[in-house]
Amino acid sequence: MTVQAHEGVKPARKKFMTLDFHTLGPLLALIALCIFGFLLNPAFVSEGNITNLLTRSAFIGIIAVGATFVITAGGIDLSVGSMAAVISGVMIIVMNNAIGTMGVGVHIVLIGCVASIALGLAAGFLNGFMTTKGKIEAFIVTLGTMGIYRSLVTYFADGGTLSLAFDVRDVYRPVYYGNILGIPIPVLAFAVVAILGWVLLNRTAYGRYCMAIGSNETVARYSAIKVDRVRTLTYVIQGFCVSIATIIYVPRLGSASSSTGVLWELEAIAAVIIGGTMLKGGYGRIGGTVVGAIMLTTIGNILNLTDIISNYLNGAVQGVIIIAAVWLQRGNLTTLSPFRRKRAS
Amino acid sequence: MQLLKKIAALAVGSAMALSAPAMAQDNITIGVSIPAATHGWTGGLNWHAAQAQARLQAAHPHINIVLVTADGPAQQANDLEDLVSIHNIDALVVLPFESEPLTDPVRRVKESGAFVTVVDRGLSQDGIQDVYVAGNNPELGRISGEYFLTRLGDGDNIVILRGIPTVIDDERFNAFMETIEGSGINVLDHKHANWNRDDGFEVMQDFLSRFPDIDGVWAQDDDIALGVIEAVRQAGRTDEMFVVGGAGMKEVIQMVMQGSELIPVNVLYPPAMIATAMDVTVAHFTSNGPVTGEYILGAPLITPENAEQYYFPDSPF
């Protein structure tokens, strides 16, 4: 079957002189933001700052790639922030305990990573299974698991902070702070996840099934798509992305607590929507998600680089920029264009 | 059958309660209501509260302590009602989630005849509490500022990472700024890092790329300080500056004990203050000395010399 062009994608009118704002909107907003950042403080474009910025956006970015699948297929996952926190916590516990029997070394880190991926896949499957087979709304399922994971990490940490043993931290540190050919490892991981995500969503039958289910579940079912299986798998992909993000998050500070990953779910969903994916499902754009994630991090970064805006207004500035970016992305700029010919009604 | 037994037990219980004044030593129930362990400091608070509960109950067999934790102001208000109606408490030790919304619920506990001890966050009306135990936020700012004065002077640059925009944060910040005023120490900028490690890391990264010359960092809180340290390490600028946190987290105290150059001192804002409050409340029933009044704990400077007495390796904080 083929998926018809999404309703949000209007057929190109005159290609000539009209930019495709649906595709380029987020990127233009990001470029505008960067120019603004440079004007406020030239240190914005220093190599160190750009590296920090991209590295920092990797967590939300990787999670948001997974969220793109969930949202495209018409679901939502609110549990990702708590899931990241509990996976970080369990990883730290597993690694700390493994030292006792196996000694310090790279293998400890590998054990931690295996634990992380297993947990991520399981947690994602749980969300998906309860949504599809349990027939509970995704919002409720993931709201529930959000609370469960958040209290679990608090419980494991005894209300405090779980800290990775210092000797393992030295072995693990390069995963966040190291680089290959000058590119920080988290940025590489983000790029790889994004490319794989793009291929999966745009070049495989699975990706088309996700969009089909998101557009119209009933039609998808009649078209012999295994709706439940495809949808459950989107949550598993989400869980996998969370575990990858966790693997590069833990070496950063070597700790996890109940305040780890707070509100990451909203940031991930915001990144997805800023990027042009429809919140109601049916259409997803990985490229946009990547830009959206970088943009969210950039806003915070720019606010830290200047003192002309009161600290108390940080949230307001973020809000305005997010709304403006989505407004651009929805193609509203073209409607304001004086060159636009009125469409004959 | 079960129900009948329960009713019987209840009847016996209330009969005993009624006849209690006749006994030489009354059974006393103390309710302790505190916020749940949602971040490091409250984690320590919960741990110290549980420690004090076990210790006091063991020492005074006739004293029963009921410890409840709340996730928010509304739940804490419910908890207070339950403590009065179900446990019939003789005294309350409360660390209010927020001052405004809990003032009235605490007053109602007071009106039920209970002895009220308020911890850390004051109520917005006077005359309700019998005892007030608190850390000293302006003092924390002042002591930190004084330490900066001993290390830095005219023309030196510092950055400040603040907490969550609240009264506590303002008190600390304003006292610090007053203390260093006129010293010529230059505050490059101050940003909110929300008493959070990740935010501390990110804000500090940005400060580091923005300012080539930083001599000191006032992080005001140990969670922020730990994030700051990682950022400074990443930038390879550990020799250039020192970091002062606050609160007395065990990891940070340990670094101070080991004589760290990067984090030379700490300023105490102890979650163990809940234990002080519980001790004072119990003393009201057991001691012949008067206890009512205000207890403002000091915010001493923790140095390598005295760090050991503030180090609780078993506490989660």
Side-chain angles (χ1 to χ4, degrees):
Chain A
M1 66 159 274
T2 54
V3 178
Q4 287 304 314
H6 183 266
E7 48 182 302
V9 188
K10 294 178 195 123
R13 290 193 292 275
K14 284 174 92 178
K15 274 268 165 83
F16 194 62
M17 285 239 343
T18 314
L19 284 169
D20 183 0
F21 277 94
H22 291 291
T23 324
L24 292 178
L27 198 59
L28 289 177
L30 180 61
I31 291 169
L33 199 58
C34 291
I35 294 171
F36 179 64
F38 174 70
L39 292 178
L40 279 177
N41 189 340
F44 178 77
V45 292
S46 67
E47 193 201 331
N49 191 55
I50 297 292
T51 316
N52 284 346
L53 190 71
L54 291 174
T55 315
R56 228 182 268 175
S57 59
F59 310 130
I60 296 299
I62 291 173
I63 293 174
V65 168
T68 310
F69 283 91
V70 173
I71 293 173
T72 300
I76 190 114
D77 191 343
L78 300 175
S79 69
V80 291
S82 309
M83 197 194 288
V86 78
I87 295 177
S88 316
V90 174
M91 262 180 94
I92 290 172
I93 294 172
V94 166
M95 286 191 282
N96 282 350
N97 284 329
I99 300 174
T101 49
M102 280 177 277
V104 178
V106 183
H107 57 280
I108 296 285
V109 175
L110 289 177
I111 290 171
C113 295
V114 170
S116 166
I117 289 171
L119 279 170
L121 295 176
F125 177 76
L126 201 68
N127 279 340
F129 185 78
M130 283 192 282
T131 310
T132 53
K133 295 295 177 196
K135 306 224 182 299
I136 311 169
E137 281 80 354
F139 186 92
I140 294 300
V141 168
T142 57
L143 185 69
T145 48
M146 171 170 117
I148 294 168
Y149 298 148
R150 179 69 59 199
S151 0
L152 279 180
V153 70
T154 314
Y155 175 74
F156 292 146
D158 216 359
T161 304
L162 288 161
S163 296
L164 189 58
F166 275 94
D167 22 7
V168 186
R169 220 180 274 194
D170 293 335
V171 181
Y172 199 174
R173 235 177 109 83
V175 175
Y176 182 83
Y177 294 98
N179 61 70
I180 295 172
L181 301 174
I183 304 167
I185 292 173
V187 178
L188 279 177
F190 184 17
V192 170
V193 169
I195 290 166
L196 291 178
W198 186 86
V199 171
L200 189 60
L201 189 64
N202 297 298
R203 290 287 177 272
T204 66
Y206 178 76
R208 286 196 293 277
Y209 292 161
C210 288
M211 297 203 196
I213 292 170
S215 307
N216 192 327
E217 195 180 326
T218 318
V219 172
R221 211 179 290 277
Y222 290 156
S223 314
I225 296 176
K226 294 190 171 62
V227 173
D228 285 355
R229 188 183 297 176
V230 170
R231 190 170 265 171
T232 304
L233 206 53
T234 62
Y235 290 95
V236 175
I237 293 170
Q238 172 75 87
F240 179 72
C241 288
V242 171
S243 63
I244 298 293
T246 310
I247 289 171
I248 55 174
Y249 168 80
V250 170
R252 177 161 98 171
L253 298 174
S255 68
S257 70
S258 53
S259 60
T260 299
V262 169
L263 293 186
W264 281 9
E265 58 280 344
L266 284 191
E267 284 189 42
I269 294 168
V272 172
I273 306 307
I274 290 172
T277 299
M278 308 289 285
L279 185 56
K280 62 181 180 193
Y283 177 70
R285 292 191 52 231
I286 298 283
T289 299
V290 172
V291 173
I294 296 175
M295 209 166 95
L296 282 178
T297 322
T298 310
I299 300 171
N301 178 249
I302 289 176
L303 288 172
N304 281 344
L305 290 180
T306 174
D307 46 12
I308 59 163
I309 300 161
S310 162
N311 285 336
Y312 300 122
L313 285 175
N314 280 3
V317 175
Q318 280 171 342
V320 168
I321 294 175
I322 290 171
I323 294 174
V326 174
W327 181 77
L328 269 181
Q329 187 268 320
R330 296 291 186 256
N332 290 311
L333 205 60
T334 50
T335 62
L336 291 183
S337 162
F339 304 110
R340 195 179 74 94
R341 252 189 299 167
K342 263 194 181 155
R343 221 188 301 177
S345 50
Chain B
M1 246 349 257
Q2 281 295 91
L3 191 69
L4 269 179
K5 261 188 200 162
K6 268 188 190 158
I7 290 170
L10 210 64
V12 173
S14 43
M16 272 169 67
L18 285 174
S19 64
M23 294 183 343
Q25 215 172 20
D26 299 352
N27 278 328
I28 287 166
T29 307
I30 298 174
V32 179
S33 169
I34 54 176
T38 47
H39 61 267
W41 195 84
T42 44
L45 182 80
N46 276 266
W47 186 80
H48 282 289
Q51 293 287 103
Q53 180 189 26
R55 173 171 55 78
L56 288 168
Q57 285 185 154
H60 308 282
H62 68 294
I63 286 179
N64 176 33
I65 295 174
V66 183
L67 179 62
V68 287
T69 60
D71 283 320
Q75 199 197 335
Q76 193 170 26
N78 294 345
D79 284 350
L80 294 184
E81 285 173 5
D82 291 348
L83 283 174
V84 171
S85 61
I86 299 172
H87 295 286
N88 208 359
I89 52 172
D90 302 289
L92 172 73
V93 178
V94 60
L95 197 159
F97 232 100
E98 285 170 28
S99 302
E100 277 302 326
L102 283 153
T103 296
D104 212 45
V106 174
R107 193 189 29 231
R108 262 174 297 182
V109 176
K110 176 71 194 165
E111 281 163 2
S112 80
F115 182 86
V116 172
T117 300
V118 175
V119 189
D120 194 34
R121 279 160 234 180
L123 301 173
S124 38
Q125 265 182 357
D126 290 337
I128 299 174
Q129 73 233 8
D130 297 292
V131 170
Y132 179 60
V133 177
N136 196 332
N137 285 304
E139 180 85 351
L140 184 140
R142 196 175 61 75
I143 297 284
S144 309
E146 279 171 1
Y147 179 74
F148 275 79
L149 291 179
T150 65
R151 289 284 302 264
L152 303 175
D154 198 13
D156 285 330
N157 295 321
I158 64 167
V159 291
I160 299 175
L161 290 91
R162 303 178 60 174
I164 295 171
T166 49
V167 180
I168 297 173
D169 176 64
D170 283 341
E171 285 180 352
R172 292 178 179 183
F173 178 74
N174 292 338
F176 182 87
M177 295 303 273
E178 271 166 32
T179 310
I180 63 163
E181 202 183 320
S183 66
I185 295 176
N186 187 15
V187 176
L188 295 169
D189 198 7
H190 55 92
K191 293 280 176 203
H192 291 280
N194 307 319
W195 293 317
N196 177 302
R197 245 180 243 205
D198 286 303
D199 291 356
F201 179 79
E202 292 181 2
V203 171
M204 193 61 204
Q205 272 193 330
D206 292 341
F207 278 157
L208 287 165
S209 39
R210 196 170 143 200
F211 304 116
D213 177 27
I214 303 174
D215 302 300
V217 183
W218 184 43
Q220 198 216 79
D221 171 78
D222 290 338
D223 264 316
I224 299 179
L226 288 173
V228 166
I229 289 170
E230 287 299 333
V232 176
R233 270 193 197 137
Q234 181 195 25
R237 288 167 67 174
T238 44
D239 297 337
E240 188 185 314
M241 63 192 83
F242 64 91
V243 183
V244 176
M249 183 189 279
K250 62 178 178 184
E251 285 90 352
V252 174
I253 303 243
Q254 202 176 15
M255 289 171 80
V256 173
M257 268 160 74
Q258 290 160 353
S260 163
E261 292 277 317
L262 191 56
I263 195 146
V265 293
N266 197 231
V267 182
L268 190 68
Y269 192 83
M273 68 173 73
I274 189 71
T276 313
M278 288 162 73
D279 282 333
V280 171
T281 309
V282 168
H284 171 70
F285 295 100
T286 55
S287 163
N288 59 337
V291 297
T292 51
E294 299 200 340
Y295 298 72
I296 307 300
L297 304 175
L301 191 69
I302 302 173
T303 58
E305 287 75 42
N306 68 2
E308 190 135 16
Q309 56 174 302
Y310 303 107
Y311 184 57
F312 297 100
D314 299 330
S315 163
F317 183 71

